[in-house]
Amino acid sequence: MASSTGAPSHAGENAYMEANELGYSSARKTHQGTVSQVGDPQFFRLANPGPLGLISFALTTFCLSIYLCGAGLPDGNPLGTVGPDQAIFGLAVFFGGAAQFMAGIMEFRVGNTFGTTVHCSYGAFWLAFAMLRVPSLGIQEAYRGDERALSFAIGIMLILWCFLTLIFVVAALRTNLAILLVLGFLALTFFFLSIGQFVSTSHPIAARRVTRAGGVFGALCALGAFYAGSSALMTEDTTWVRFPLGQFSYKSRRRAVADTV
């Protein structure tokens, strides 16, 4: 349409577009309320992948840890012919492995270098752990007849993961108390489990006790990860509950230097 002066008139078009936008906004909010259970979530806001990574790690670790303590296993022996490796296989592949690795990739998207490295690393650990139990790969079959070599190989892998976890502890010194406890207990878990593997053939009774100690520390680590993941999950969009993480309140070195100048 054109006005009496010959210039195009956009008043009618603007009113039509505004009406459509209002109708779309109303329909969108109704859809949000029925699907996401959040009244008016922020569109195009990146989600926090931390809870997925922590909770997937926590559940898988806790399940393995109670098996390492002897729960639900024949004769309560975590080093027997039927042990934690078989029982945890599915969780290690799909939840502790794939889900946590995906969380690490999403941490990359939000610019969290520490989260990317930690979640991708432990997600890959769970996948590698599960691969040891796949018969078609023939990994354990290659060690048939030499159980000592197999236990030493696994022990070396675990002690290296203990070393890597200690690096993560140092890198997390300025995060919060919950994350430090999770990583600290995890380092102890890897340490005791590696010792249990090293002595499993020469001192089986001592190996069982050390492995159970590793399971206890693993359970403590998992509980801490559950807490930290739940804390990040409790947002103002969905709940009023808050879990404090024990944030450290000190200035950065750069700011401290700036204050003294």
Side-chain angles (χ1 to χ4, degrees), residues 51 54-55 224-235 241-243 245:
L54 285 166
I55 291 175
F226 269 124
Y227 181 87
S230 299
S231 175
L233 191 64
M234 305 297 171
T235 66
V241 178
R242 295 290 182 272
F243 292 164
L245 291 174

Side-chain angles (χ1 to χ4, degrees), residues 12 25 27 41 46 48 70 96 102 121 175 211 213 243 256:
S25 176
L46 294 176
N48 179 10
M102 289 174 58
S121 295
T175 55
T211 299
F243 292 164

Side-chain angles (χ1 to χ4, degrees), residues 101-171:
F101 194 87
M102 289 174 58
I105 297 299
M106 290 187 286
E107 290 280 14
F108 175 83
R109 176 65 181 84
V110 300
N112 186 353
T113 303
F114 179 79
T116 298
T117 307
V118 170
H119 289 310
C120 284
S121 295
Y122 291 125
F125 164 79
W126 283 117
L127 291 172
F129 179 87
M131 291 304 101
L132 291 173
R133 307 306 306 181
V134 178
S136 60
L137 295 179
I139 297 175
Q140 296 200 37
E141 184 67 22
Y143 289 92
R144 181 177 293 275
D146 195 349
E147 298 299 327
R148 181 178 175 82
L150 175 61
S151 63
F152 260 72
I154 296 176
I156 291 172
M157 181 186 73
L158 292 175
I159 200 66
L160 289 176
W161 276 100
C162 175
F163 175 74
L164 178 60
T165 303
L166 290 176
I167 293 177
F168 290 154
V169 170
V170 176

